[in-house]
Amino acid sequence: SRQFSALIDDLNKKFSQKAAYNSIMLSYDKLMGNTLLVKVSPDIDSTYMEEWLFMNGKWDKKSTIVIDIEKQKSSEMLFSINGDFDLSKIVDMIEVAKEKVISDKKVKNSGCKSVSILMKNIESSSNKMDHLIIYISLETSDSGALYELSFDSKGNFEGFLE
């Protein structure tokens, strides 16, 4: 959980505490280290997002995306890591994912390969956080098999992705 509080600090330093995200994707690789890809806006009501990649210890801006506010309010497709969603929940989700892989797939050891936190673009609902989905990818240490699991924004396991 220490790496997730460090991640929150890093994101807050880079993009400010008011920043709002459409997606945060983390991946872990023995050779590459941690890679982070984010779609982020300066705040929840912004009319644009930027895509940034963190790799080899440095940030690179990849693109700017204009939000079509005629179709959807930006506040409905963005979430805050300082209010809407607590990144430290990911630690518990990874543990649940590992337990599910052990019990359902009869796998002994697995490690977290990637975590994706995405806001699905769906029509409005009373709670925008119903549209936040978390995908966790686990890799087995023996065969290298990959298992993808999905969770909702409250941390409830939704199922294996085929």
Side-chain angles (χ1 to χ4, degrees):
S1 71
R2 203 167 55 244
Q3 74 252 34
F4 284 101
S5 39
L7 172 65
I8 294 167
D9 290 345
D10 290 348
L11 290 172
N12 284 337
K13 278 184 195 135
K14 177 69 185 165
F15 302 112
S16 94
Q17 290 195 357
K18 288 195 311 190
Y21 298 83
N22 178 258
S23 63
I24 299 173
M25 296 178 210
L26 299 131
S27 56
Y28 314 96
D29 184 271
K30 284 184 185 119
L31 298 172
M32 302 287 291
N34 291 347
T35 304
L36 188 57
L37 182 67
V38 297
K39 284 186 185 168
V40 59
S41 284
D43 61 63
I44 203 90
D45 296 310
S46 183
T47 56
Y48 70 94
M49 293 185 283
E50 295 175 340
E51 190 171 43
W52 286 82
L53 176 68
F54 180 81
M55 203 164 126
N56 299 325
K58 66 181 178 46
W59 286 99
D60 282 316
K61 183 177 164 186
K62 293 295 173 193
S63 65
T64 300
I65 304 150
V66 175
I67 298 171
D68 186 350
I69 51 176
E70 298 289 315
K71 287 188 180 158
Q72 192 171 24
K73 289 196 315 205
S74 51
S75 61
E76 291 174 355
M77 56 189 293
L78 299 171
F79 65 94
S80 159
I81 58 169
N82 298 301
D84 291 329
F85 183 73
D86 179 359
L87 280 180
S88 64
K89 283 185 189 174
I90 297 292
V91 178
D92 295 332
M93 290 183 210
I94 292 170
E95 288 311 309
V96 170
K98 287 180 177 181
E99 288 165 20
K100 288 283 180 195
V101 168
I102 289 167
S103 64
D104 296 17
K105 305 294 183 184
K106 308 297 181 240
V107 168
K108 286 186 175 66
N109 287 322
S110 64
C112 186
K113 182 95 175 131
S114 66
V115 174
S116 299
I117 306 162
L118 309 164
M119 208 54 153
K120 294 186 291 186
N121 292 337
I122 301 176
E123 295 303 312
S124 299
S125 79
S126 57
N127 181 4
K128 70 174 182 180
M129 295 309 286
D130 292 344
H131 304 317
L132 190 77
I133 190 154
I134 295 95
Y135 297 114
I136 295 175
S137 178
L138 299 178
E139 184 176 39
T140 59
S141 37
D142 49 2
S143 68
L146 277 178
Y147 295 98
E148 297 236 352
L149 302 89
S150 68
F151 293 80
D152 67 16
S153 64
K154 295 177 184 73
N156 300 313
F157 173 66
E158 292 195 324
F160 284 92
L161 303 175
E162 296 307 319

